[in-house]
């Protein structure tokens, strides 16, 4: 099962997470969407495919609801997540100096904990819709190249 976690203040990341789930389902992949606030970082040990769709709030900060998860994850010793593959879509606003910083931080923390990158992180400005379709297409290719284990039989 693919886990799609979102972190949002205004709802954009959640909308994109749900659309990602719909697109994955249309290609035969089973997935779940979860608010990152409802995820314990230790749960990542049980996740094979982790997709993070996260917004940056203010000047590079995580959305309020994601703060506890992020602080615990960032403060934890490396967890050896070699079984976990990940991809990150970061939403932000280039008007801020720390553009997409929370997405960049989640990306680097996943890597620090040993998770394996499926594809490069995509940092999106306010016009994220222009880039989302291509990102999901690339995600589908990455998942399909990993084999049929994630596909619904």
């Amino acid at each position: 099962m693919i886990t799609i976690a979102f972190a949002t203040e205004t709802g954009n990341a959640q909308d994109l997470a749900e659309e990602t789930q719909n697109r994955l389902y249309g290609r035969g992949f089973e997935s779940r969407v979860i608010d990152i606030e409802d995820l314990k970082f230790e749960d990542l040990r049980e996740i094979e495919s982790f997709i993070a769709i996260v917004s940056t709030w203010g000047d590079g900060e995580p959305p309020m609801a994601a703060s506890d998860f992020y602080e615990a994850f960032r403060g934890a010793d490396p967890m050896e997540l070699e079984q976990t593959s990940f991809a990150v879509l970061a939403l932000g606003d280039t008007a801020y100096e720390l553009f997409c910083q929370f997405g960049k931080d989640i990306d680097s923390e996943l890597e620090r904990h040993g998770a394996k990158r499926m594809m490069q992180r995509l940092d999106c400005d306010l016009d994220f819709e222009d880039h989302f379709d291509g990102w999901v297409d690339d995600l589908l290719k990455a998942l399909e190249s990993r084999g049929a284990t994630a596909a619904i039989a």
Side-chain angles (χ1 to χ4, degrees), residues 50-74:
F50 182 72
I51 312 304
I53 300 177
V54 299
S55 297
T56 297
W57 185 248
D59 195 17
E61 300 299 317
M64 183 89 58
S67 294
D68 289 343
F69 170 87
Y70 178 63
E71 290 304 318
F73 190 42
R74 190 173 73 169

Side-chain angles (χ1 to χ4, degrees), residues 1-22:
M1 166 136 11
I2 300 164
T3 297
I4 306 165
F6 67 87
T8 192
E9 282 290 335
T10 63
N12 289 330
Q14 181 176 0
D15 291 346
L16 294 180
E18 291 168 355
E19 177 60 23
T20 299
Q21 182 181 40
N22 290 337

Side-chain angles (χ1 to χ4, degrees), residues 7-95:
T8 192
E9 282 290 335
T10 63
N12 289 330
Q14 181 176 0
D15 291 346
L16 294 180
E18 291 168 355
E19 177 60 23
T20 299
Q21 182 181 40
N22 290 337
R23 298 267 303 272
L24 293 177
Y25 182 77
R27 292 283 278 276
F29 288 96
E30 185 179 359
S31 63
R32 69 179 177 139
V33 172
I34 186 169
D35 190 325
I36 209 165
E37 123 180 82
D38 297 326
L39 187 68
K40 292 180 175 62
F41 75 89
E42 298 94 344
D43 295 342
L44 291 170
R45 290 186 177 111
E46 308 301 319
I47 296 173
E48 186 177 319
S49 298
F50 182 72
I51 312 304
I53 300 177
V54 299
S55 297
T56 297
W57 185 248
D59 195 17
E61 300 299 317
M64 183 89 58
S67 294
D68 289 343
F69 170 87
Y70 178 63
E71 290 304 318
F73 190 42
R74 190 173 73 169
D77 290 333
M79 295 183 354
E80 301 177 5
L81 296 176
E82 288 80 13
Q83 81 291 345
T84 303
S85 296
F86 75 95
V88 176
L89 177 67
L91 305 177
D93 181 342
T94 54

